[in-house]
Amino acid sequence: MRRSDPLHVLLVGGRRWLAATAALLALTWVAGVALLALSGWFVTASALAGLGALAGLNIFTPAAGIRAAALLRTVARYGERVVGHEAVLRRLAELRCDAFERIASLPPVAQRRLRSGDWQTRLVADIDTLDAVPLRVIAPTLAALASTGFAAALAGWLAGWTAATLVIGVAVAVLCAAMFAGRAGRRCGEALVAGRARERIALLDHVDGMAELAVYGRLDASRATLAELARTHSRRLDGQSAVAALAEHAVQALVGLGTLAMLALALSAHVDGSISGPVAVLLALMVLGLGEALASLPGAGWRLGESLAAAARLDFGGAVLADDVQPRGDAGAAITARALVVGFDARRPLWHGLDLDLEPGVPLLVCGPSGSGKSALLATLAGELDPLAGQVRIGDRALAECGASDVALLAQDTVLLDASVFANLRLARPDVDAHEASRLLLAVGLDEFADGGTRGLRTRVGEGAANLSGGQARRVLLAWLLLRDPALALLDEPFSGLDEAARERAMSALEPWLVRRCAVIATHEPECFPAHWPRIERR
């Protein structure tokens, strides 16, 4: 199991909590077995004492034992729930953060393979499915084995190895039923995970494209597709429930037969004088009490397939996304483009046969009117828009092989999270401290948002950056950009909304940052940049 495997994060990261969960669950079931068995012994002994067949019955010790077992079972069950949720919920939160970071670091060409519904399914439903592994597979299986071991040891002590063998035989039979259920449920679980993703993708496509579907008369067809996907998913759920019900009935039958077999064995031993009547009842009820523990095994089997399928979808190091490449952060690499054709329609390209040779410290200005293809060129260089022809390379790697950290795109749209200024800057580099963030904010002219300023680092940006002016929001993005270390920086109208003084201050902060990396800047105002920077004019 690799360290990047989600199951490794879930199980190894919380192994102590998981061990405590299994121990508490085993204690719960052992207390339950003891409660039922001891109660049966006490009732039988009391009845025999009342008939005069049993003399000198001590009622206080078994009564105390019954109360202790009942109290222990309640406390252990509560502890198991608390510890189990602690073991799993924190790990699931870590998995969500890890999955989001790994998706964000994928090359744009790999990101585009994940539809919006697929992203949501992986980050929510697939990760939620993994909680079955520790809570419904591993912990119950370990606890069931421990409970069986306790019952077998007690049976062997009271009635010899034959009784112990019978207890173990019942457990083995239930384990075989669990393996059968797991095999039958695995295929259904894998289909459930895949179908759930398809259903979410289709639903979001339907909602997002409802206007277009209505215009082209495809709304009813799309609804029919959604209904069919829902029916298919329901049939799979019904199939999985049928497997679970069949396995549950099989366990109950096996435990019932085991109880009858133990009762016959115990009564035979009682007739021979080997054990007393109360002990014979205790042995039979002890096997019956094991039913709660053994009933968890088939469920563990059929849930495992669904969890493994969900884990495979989250393992971006595997075959799900073969293009997942770890970024190398080669900030000093040269950028080349050869015979690049940019646009949305091959019959009417915006750029045709473009050759670029970009060196660190020498930004290229792309100038021209609106609609001339400046933003499309930047999107192509960023990997967000596939070129119609040609290729782009960063150093010795094709653009499609590069990670998201190799390219930084400052688009025209100003998009900030509804969080603090500091939180938005930390999206660029999570380890940035308040001192460095304040230094960058001062560099771009946002003195009031620096630490100790009139508004401060903790100022909330607001929804749609409503608490900032357009120029302030733009400069927060410029500060965000200065925290990145890409090989290629792409800036689309970086000084939009800034007055002359703010533009000069931002340029003073930006120019030293550009020395170590290649850059392409799209602008309507080339006079705002150094005259010696090369430029491409579009008409």
Side-chain angles (χ1 to χ4, degrees):
M1 189 182 297
R2 301 188 311 277
R3 295 179 66 87
S4 61
D5 193 314
L7 291 179
H8 182 280
V9 176
L10 185 64
L11 301 180
V12 177
R15 57 186 179 276
R16 293 180 181 175
W17 290 100
L18 180 58
T21 301
L24 286 169
L25 187 57
L27 189 59
T28 301
W29 288 340
V30 166
V33 171
L35 177 61
L36 183 60
L38 192 56
S39 297
W41 180 94
F42 185 66
V43 170
T44 305
S46 298
L48 292 175
L51 294 172
L54 185 65
L57 175 64
N58 176 10
I59 65 172
F60 298 104
T61 301
I66 291 171
R67 291 188 180 93
L71 182 61
L72 180 61
R73 186 175 187 274
T74 302
V75 172
R77 171 65 76 183
Y78 179 78
E80 179 264 327
R81 294 300 171 91
V82 172
V83 173
H85 282 82
E86 176 67 25
V88 171
L89 294 181
R90 292 186 185 276
R91 302 289 85 74
L92 294 185
E94 292 175 9
L95 276 175
R96 283 197 171 88
C97 293
D98 179 68
F100 183 84
E101 289 176 359
R102 300 198 69 191
I103 289 174
S105 67
L106 292 175
V109 65
Q111 289 184 9
R112 287 198 301 273
R113 292 185 182 180
L114 294 177
R115 308 281 292 278
S116 176
D118 202 8
W119 286 45
Q120 294 184 30
T121 303
R122 291 176 193 247
L123 292 174
V124 180
D126 288 343
I127 290 179
D128 284 343
T129 302
L130 294 183
D131 72 354
V133 176
L135 295 183
R136 297 179 178 88
V137 178
I138 294 180
T141 300
L142 294 176
L145 293 176
S147 302
T148 302
F150 165 79
L154 183 59
W157 178 56
L158 293 174
W161 65 268
T162 305
T165 302
L166 179 58
V167 172
I168 294 174
V170 172
V172 170
V174 172
L175 186 61
C176 291
M179 294 174 63
F180 173 79
R183 204 167 172 186
R186 178 165 184 171
R187 292 188 296 272
C188 184
E190 291 172 350
L192 271 174
V193 171
R196 186 170 56 209
R198 285 194 293 269
E199 190 175 8
R200 177 71 66 89
I201 292 170
L203 177 60
L204 290 181
D205 286 348
H206 176 83
V207 173
D208 292 342
M210 191 172 291
E212 290 80 2
L213 290 170
V215 168
Y216 289 101
R218 301 293 299 169
L219 195 57
D220 290 339
S222 180
R223 287 173 179 159
T225 300
L226 286 175
E228 180 58 31
L229 288 172
R231 283 192 294 269
T232 302
H233 190 65
S234 296
R235 284 195 297 270
R236 288 177 179 142
L237 286 174
D238 290 341
Q240 195 178 54
S241 298
V243 171
L246 181 62
E248 183 179 351
H249 293 321
V251 170
Q252 290 176 353
L254 290 170
V255 171
L257 291 174
T259 301
L260 292 175
M262 180 62 78
L263 182 59
L265 179 65
L267 289 177
S268 175
H270 173 62
V271 171
D272 294 341
S274 303
I275 60 175
S276 65
V279 171
V281 175
L282 181 150
L283 289 171
L285 291 180
M286 182 181 66
V287 176
L288 185 63
L290 273 178
E292 182 184 8
L294 297 178
S296 67
L297 294 179
W302 65 260
R303 285 181 182 276
L304 185 60
E306 188 176 353
S307 299
L308 292 176
R313 285 171 47 79
L314 292 165
D315 184 12
F316 300 117
V320 177
L321 286 175
D323 290 334
D324 182 8
V325 178
Q326 295 297 323
R328 297 192 314 199
D330 192 5
I335 313 298
T336 58
R338 292 291 177 265
L340 194 62
V341 180
V342 175
F344 305 96
D345 187 343
R347 295 169 297 181
R348 294 184 294 274
L350 299 171
W351 298 81
H352 187 275
L354 183 63
D355 291 328
L356 296 176
D357 290 283
L358 305 176
E359 294 293 336
V362 187
L364 173 67
L365 300 180
V366 180
C367 316
S370 297
S372 59
K374 302 188 301 298
S375 297
L377 175 60
L378 296 191
T380 302
L381 294 175
E384 295 187 353
L385 178 65
D386 290 328
L388 299 175
Q391 63 174 348
V392 180
R393 301 188 69 83
I394 298 180
D396 59 352
R397 293 175 295 161
L399 182 62
E401 299 173 354
C402 299
S405 64
D406 291 303
V407 181
L409 172 62
L410 182 67
Q412 287 192 49
D413 296 333
T414 302
V415 179
L416 295 172
L417 290 183
D418 183 10
S420 68
V421 171
F422 189 38
N424 276 276
L425 293 180
R426 292 186 67 188
L427 291 175
R429 208 179 75 209
D431 63 342
V432 66
D433 57 22
H435 175 73
E436 186 174 4
S438 297
R439 180 181 60 81
L440 291 172
L441 291 171
L442 290 171
V444 297
L446 292 175
D447 304 32
E448 66 270 35
F449 295 105
D451 202 12
T454 55
R455 300 181 69 179
L457 278 170
R458 306 296 174 181
T459 299
R460 196 169 190 86
V461 168
E463 186 175 353
N467 296 336
L468 308 180
S469 69
Q472 288 173 334
R474 194 65 177 169
R475 280 177 284 173
V476 169
L477 278 180
L478 285 171
W480 171 89
L481 182 67
L482 294 174
L483 286 169
R484 301 290 303 276
D485 190 27
L488 176 61
L490 304 167
L491 290 72
D492 198 350
E493 301 292 349
F495 302 144
S496 174
L498 303 186
D499 58 31
E500 185 176 354
R503 198 162 50 227
E504 290 177 358
R505 192 165 177 179
M507 187 65 205
S508 298
L510 191 61
E511 196 166 1
W513 182 83
L514 292 171
V515 169
R516 290 190 59 250
R517 65 203 80 248
C518 299
V520 179
I521 303 173
T523 180
H524 286 96
E525 302 173 310
E527 65 277 3
C528 299
F529 298 90
H532 66 278
W533 285 2
R535 57 200 66 201
I536 300 175
E537 297 281 351
R538 293 285 289 178
R539 302 297 181 189

